[in-house]
Amino acid sequence: MSSTESLARGFTVGGGSRRPALVLAIAAVAVLIVPMGVSGTPVLLPRIGADLGGSLAQLQWVVNAYNVAAASCMLATGVLADRYGRRRAFRVGAGLYVVSLVVTIAAPATVVIDVCRGLAGIGAAAIVTSMTAIVADEFTGPARARAFALVGVVIGAGLALDPTISGAIAQLFDWRTVFGVHAVIVGVALLGSLLLRESRNPSSVRFDVPGAAMFTTGLLLLTIGTIEGPRAGWLSPLTIVLFTGAMATLALFVGYEQRTANPMFDLRLFADRQFLTVNLVNIEFAFGFIGLLLLLPAFLSGVGGLGDGETGVRILFLTAPILLAPLLSGRLLAAGVELRFILAGSLAVIGLGAFGLTFLDADRTLWVLALPLIVTGLGVGSLNGVMDGAAVSTVPNQSSGMAAGMFNTNRLAAEASASVLVVTLIASFTRAQLERAPLPPEVDTATASDKLASGDVGQLFTDFPDAVPGFIDANVSAFHQVMWISTALAAFSVTAVLVLLRPRRPS
């Protein structure tokens, strides 16, 4: 029997029908688009900005609209898929994703892409929740574990490899071609859904409309406030209103979820120390990896002067280790190493990588960039290998679906917030440096800092050639400051993990 036949047999129920293997193949193609939407898009921002223009806030929303929409809709689409049909929910989500990509390809302005990426995020939430339920319904026992392991490998591969692939495609053709490739992938999965059978969960809970509305509104206000803060001023009335509204809405959400009979979030799960800790780990994971993934393309193309393809190859130093490191952390956990030491060690490695990037300069040799990126990737991959399992392993079985949904929602929300925050910090720190630099009086420091933060520096450098060294020094200094924040956040996270997960003393 060939290895391919053995693999196909391993994913069938009782080694009979080939249908489960077909379902798994369709699921793998479908979920691939979700990490591609997260990690591939940041590489394209400098080119989108140069082509269509737009403010730094508009370019940030190309990434954040996707993350915020996916985070806000993850639990809601799961409930709707259980009630009205998983295959139907997948088709609606995939169809919405394809439409958003088609409009993106023809977009005449950055703000159109922002709207389309929000719609794509809603589609991505429906795709991942419905396909997860379809796979769980199709497989049982060890076959289910193998199926989800393969789906996890696909998601990790998409997250790791798409920045390089997207950068190469954009350099060979243009950024619109990248979204065209995404449309083909979703289209293939949509055609494959014709071969799937419908399934539902007749005992599914009703959709928590008020909870979903409050959570989405709070997250949206928080994101807008973080983006608008540097431009309007952190103490401006607009910024204060946005942050106050976000905190008030999220506080109302917490109070409502504690009283309703069918909560979107079962907040009692946070009483479990392990579940609470793994959700807190999401903060440094998002800041140290997703935030860095967003900063590097702008830094390397703007200050470093690299093309999309060259930028993508260098980002591979960060993303490639993510494919390998989960095997290591999984084996350590299986060998009896305590979870808290694996989590703390992984966070420490991410912090070490961030510290190494504080030495990065515009004209340093390749290894000065490669070494800390590889170290960071190893830490991120190690976390990936244990976080999802740790999030559900200590909660009751009847709450495992809710725990998984909450964890993924919190992770996407953290990634959305971190994506906004790191770019905001880069722009703010760069502007502060420029205001102290001896620049020509006609230089608008706010515009210049936004251009540097987004990587769209071609016209800026052309208009003010004598000021280019000052621009570069300010951007490099800002990048270093953000890396120092990431290092400090990693150290805090290590301490929190070791304290929260320390063994309880016998009473």
Side-chain angles (χ1 to χ4, degrees):
M1 180 183 292
S2 67
S3 59
T4 304
E5 291 172 337
S6 299
L7 181 60
R9 185 179 179 86
F11 284 111
T12 60
V13 179
S17 169
R18 294 300 179 101
R19 172 182 165 75
L22 178 63
V23 171
L24 187 59
I26 296 170
V29 174
V31 300
L32 178 62
I33 195 62
V34 178
M36 291 176 74
V38 173
S39 66
T41 309
V43 180
L44 308 177
L45 294 186
R47 191 173 287 265
I48 292 174
D51 187 15
L52 300 180
S55 65
L56 177 63
Q58 291 175 339
L59 288 172
Q60 283 183 270
W61 277 110
V62 173
V63 172
N64 293 307
Y66 182 91
N67 290 337
V68 170
S72 303
C73 298
M74 188 68 68
L75 288 176
T77 54
V79 172
L80 293 173
D82 283 343
R83 172 165 290 194
Y84 298 107
R86 283 81 177 256
R87 184 179 68 172
R88 178 180 296 176
F90 170 75
R91 286 178 173 176
V92 172
L96 182 63
Y97 208 128
V98 169
V99 170
S100 74
L101 290 170
V102 171
V103 178
T104 298
I105 293 169
T110 304
V111 67
V112 176
I113 301 179
D114 294 340
V115 175
C116 290
R117 295 311 291 165
L119 295 176
I122 298 173
I127 288 172
V128 71
T129 53
S130 59
M131 268 303 169
T132 299
I134 288 171
V135 171
D137 186 66
E138 189 69 36
F139 296 90
T140 58
R144 178 185 288 181
R146 289 192 294 268
F148 277 114
L150 182 58
V151 171
V153 169
V154 171
I155 292 175
L159 194 67
L161 300 179
D162 196 56
T164 302
I165 296 172
S166 295
I169 293 173
Q171 184 152 338
L172 288 173
F173 303 100
D174 60 18
W175 61 267
R176 298 179 193 268
T177 306
V178 176
F179 291 112
V181 173
H182 289 189
V184 171
I185 293 172
V186 183
V188 170
L190 194 56
L191 288 174
S193 70
L194 297 173
L195 303 175
L196 301 176
R197 62 180 175 82
E198 186 61 279
S199 64
R200 293 179 175 85
N201 178 9
S203 61
S204 63
V205 299
R206 68 176 180 83
F207 179 35
D208 179 15
V209 176
M214 285 185 280
F215 180 79
T216 302
T217 301
L219 184 60
L220 191 61
L221 289 174
L222 182 63
T223 304
I224 295 173
T226 308
I227 291 177
E228 292 296 326
R231 189 175 64 84
W234 291 109
L235 297 179
S236 68
L238 174 62
T239 306
I240 293 174
V241 167
L242 287 170
F243 280 120
T244 302
M247 295 301 104
T249 305
L250 292 175
L252 288 174
F253 168 74
V254 171
Y256 175 82
E257 293 297 288
Q258 291 176 325
R259 294 191 305 271
T260 183
N262 298 292
M264 177 182 174
F265 273 30
D266 186 354
L267 299 175
R268 292 171 298 180
L269 294 180
F270 287 108
D272 181 88
R273 291 189 302 159
Q274 181 169 305
F275 184 76
L276 172 64
T277 303
V278 175
N279 277 276
L280 290 176
V281 167
N282 273 330
I283 298 174
E284 171 57 15
F285 176 88
F287 195 96
F289 174 56
I290 300 298
L292 181 59
L293 199 62
L294 191 65
L295 292 185
L296 279 176
F299 184 84
L300 295 176
S301 63
V303 171
L306 301 180
D308 293 330
E310 296 170 301
T311 297
V313 170
R314 281 160 175 76
I315 290 177
L316 196 60
F317 290 121
L318 170 66
T319 57
I322 296 173
L323 294 174
L324 304 176
L327 299 175
L328 174 61
S329 58
R331 288 181 177 179
L332 290 174
L333 193 63
V337 178
E338 290 184 36
L339 176 66
R340 65 182 181 130
F341 293 132
I342 297 175
L343 292 176
S346 301
L347 290 166
V349 171
I350 294 175
L352 181 62
F355 171 73
L357 287 171
T358 62
F359 297 96
L360 182 64
D361 210 336
D363 56 354
R364 289 297 185 102
T365 54
L366 182 62
W367 69 267
V368 178
L369 172 67
L371 186 58
L373 289 186
I374 291 171
V375 170
T376 302
L378 289 173
V380 171
S382 297
L383 282 182
N384 265 349
V386 297
M387 280 206 304
D388 291 86
V392 299
S393 62
T394 61
V395 301
N397 287 337
Q398 65 269 24
S399 301
S400 60
M402 172 71 78
M406 290 173 63
F407 173 74
N408 284 307
T409 298
N410 291 335
R411 178 156 62 181
L412 284 167
E415 290 173 1
S417 301
S419 299
V420 176
L421 184 58
V422 293
V423 177
T424 298
L425 290 174
I426 284 287
S428 297
F429 292 153
T430 301
R431 183 175 181 178
Q433 293 288 331
L434 292 177
E435 289 175 347
R436 295 193 295 267
L439 299 176
E442 60 271 22
V443 173
D444 183 355
T445 56
T447 301
S449 62
D450 284 357
K451 294 290 185 182
L452 288 163
S454 66
D456 180 19
V457 298
Q459 191 63 46
L460 179 68
F461 286 4
T462 300
D463 292 343
F464 306 102
D466 295 336
V468 169
F471 291 147
I472 292 176
D473 288 344
N475 199 217
V476 170
S477 175
F479 185 84
H480 289 171
Q481 291 178 73
V482 173
M483 291 302 101
W484 277 115
I485 292 174
S486 183
T487 303
L489 183 58
F492 173 81
S493 300
V494 169
T495 304
V497 167
L498 294 176
V499 170
L500 288 173
L501 293 185
R502 68 185 185 278
R504 295 182 184 272
R505 293 181 178 180
S507 57

